[in-house]
């Protein structure tokens, strides 16, 4: 028997309904077709500097009239205990907002019936700790097909480091290693091509607050030499970090 979830007040406070009662909102109907997959995105980025805002956008082809956000982890956010339409402007963001989010959808003609949860979105709050440093070994000019090691290091003992390239969706993450009283991580990038060129930054975080990141490192421009004319400058790939859209964030 197919089951869906229902609640008149809060989708977290649920009661079970059978498929005979809730045919339209059954998990089979919502999740059975790939084009109807429920998802979330964050604009301009899921990495949100403390004190700024982020627009959380709900995506579905099912035409829901009302949405509610559900936070899987961390501290409760009272402002989320209300419904909204299509998108929600969150902020000013604090460490309390950092965590994993999903949403429920509902229709006006059945406001007490809610869909299954969407796919997760991780929202990260940055600018919590001092920025780490980022450098390239042997250097930022990399021959096509070659390799480079991006070294992120800090005088803070970070337990995890994350490396992001502008206009990419997913970060690279490594466990921090103790080094000279601080910590560092070495990101080895091999078989480099023009698609790997661009501006990189890294962040540090601690295990007890994985969704709270440091200030970003200073930007580091990586240039692929064989596929760039002599007059090409690293800044030609630079984008404004404060309007960057990373899209859905995956762990």
């Amino acid at each position: 028997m197919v089951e869906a979830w229902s609640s008149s007040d809060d989708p977290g406070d649920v009661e079970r309904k059978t498929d005979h009662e809730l045919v339209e909102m059954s998990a089979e109907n919502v999740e059975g077709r790939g084009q109807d997959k429920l998802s979330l995105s964050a604009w301009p980025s899921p990495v949100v500097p403390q004190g700024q805002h982020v627009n959380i956008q709900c995506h579905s082809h099912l035409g829901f009239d009302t949405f509610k956000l559900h936070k899987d982890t961390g501290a409760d956010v009272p402002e989320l205990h209300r419904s909204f339409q299509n998108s929600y402007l969150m902020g000013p963001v604090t460490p309390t907002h950092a965590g994993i989010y999903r949403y429920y959808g509902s229709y006006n003609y059945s406001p007490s019936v809610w869909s299954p949860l969407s796919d997760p979105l991780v929202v990260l709050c940055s600018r919590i700790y001092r920025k780490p440093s980022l450098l390239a070994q042997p250097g930022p000019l990399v021959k096509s097909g070659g390799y480079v090691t991006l070294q992120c290091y800090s005088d803070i003992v970070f337990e995890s480091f994350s490396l992001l390239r502008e206009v990419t969706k997913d970060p690279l993450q490594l466990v921090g290693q103790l080094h000279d009283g601080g910590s560092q991580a070495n990101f080895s990038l091999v078989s480099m091509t023009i698609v790997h060129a661009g501006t990189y930054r890294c962040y540090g975080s601690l295990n007890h607050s994985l969704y709270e990141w440091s200030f970003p490192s200073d930007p580091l421009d990586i240039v692929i030499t064989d596929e760039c004319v002599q007059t090409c400058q690293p800044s030609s790939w630079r984008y404004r970090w404060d309007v960057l859209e990373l899209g859905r964030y995956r762990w």
Side-chain angles (χ1 to χ4, degrees):
M1 178 179 294
V2 176
E3 294 178 338
W5 300 105
S6 170
S7 171
S8 58
D9 297 314
D10 187 341
D13 181 15
V14 298
E15 63 182 271
R16 291 177 183 266
K17 299 290 184 180
T18 69
D19 53 350
H20 298 291
E21 295 171 294
L22 299 175
V23 174
E24 294 102 346
M25 295 297 290
S26 70
E28 180 180 349
N29 286 339
V30 173
E31 296 179 341
R33 302 184 300 273
Q35 69 270 24
D36 293 337
K37 195 172 185 180
L38 310 183
S39 63
L40 280 171
S41 65
W43 192 92
S45 167
V47 183
V48 189
Q50 184 173 207
Q52 296 190 18
H53 291 74
V54 61
N55 192 22
I56 306 297
Q57 299 173 331
C58 302
H59 305 283
S60 171
H61 293 287
L62 296 174
F64 294 125
D65 300 304
T66 304
F67 300 87
K68 279 189 178 181
L69 281 178
H70 170 77
K71 189 166 184 275
D72 286 0
T73 58
D76 181 53
V77 182
E79 66 195 65
L80 300 182
H81 298 170
R82 63 182 180 85
S83 301
F84 60 93
Q85 295 180 334
N86 297 323
S87 65
Y88 174 72
L89 185 64
M90 181 186 295
V93 167
T94 69
T96 300
H97 294 89
I100 301 175
Y101 288 83
R102 305 171 193 263
Y103 80 81
Y104 304 86
S106 180
Y107 298 109
N108 289 339
Y109 63 79
S110 56
S112 64
V113 181
W114 295 88
S115 73
L117 284 166
S118 71
D119 285 346
L121 170 74
V122 177
V123 173
L124 299 134
C125 182
S126 66
R127 301 188 179 182
I128 306 299
Y129 314 106
R130 292 192 306 277
K131 67 180 180 182
S133 298
L134 183 63
L135 59 82
Q137 298 285 3
L141 302 180
V142 184
K143 186 176 180 180
S144 178
Y147 73 94
V148 65
T149 297
L150 301 187
Q151 184 179 88
C152 190
Y153 61 96
S154 173
D155 59 356
I156 298 174
V157 181
F158 287 124
E159 293 157 315
S160 180
F161 287 95
S162 299
L163 179 71
L164 282 171
R165 183 173 69 91
E166 292 182 4
V167 306
T168 59
K169 294 181 179 180
D170 303 323
L172 297 175
Q173 293 181 310
L174 286 176
V175 173
Q177 304 294 326
L178 295 177
H179 182 74
D180 290 340
S183 57
Q184 72 174 41
N186 295 319
F187 295 88
S188 296
L189 308 181
V190 298
S191 302
M192 298 287 283
T193 69
I194 192 65
V195 300
H196 300 105
T199 303
Y200 289 77
R201 290 172 172 82
C202 73
Y203 298 79
S205 60
L206 302 175
N207 286 345
H208 66 80
S209 53
L210 287 175
Y211 308 118
E212 300 172 19
W213 285 8
S214 68
F215 276 76
S217 67
D218 290 337
L220 175 64
D221 291 306
I222 298 297
V223 176
I224 308 302
T225 56
D226 283 8
E227 300 185 35
C228 181
V229 296
Q230 291 293 328
T231 57
C232 183
Q233 297 296 322
S235 60
S236 64
W237 287 290
R238 184 166 295 165
Y239 299 84
R240 283 186 56 201
W241 187 248
D242 60 340
V243 296
L244 170 63
E245 181 176 9
L246 296 178
R248 287 189 56 243
Y249 186 106
R250 299 177 183 273
W251 286 93

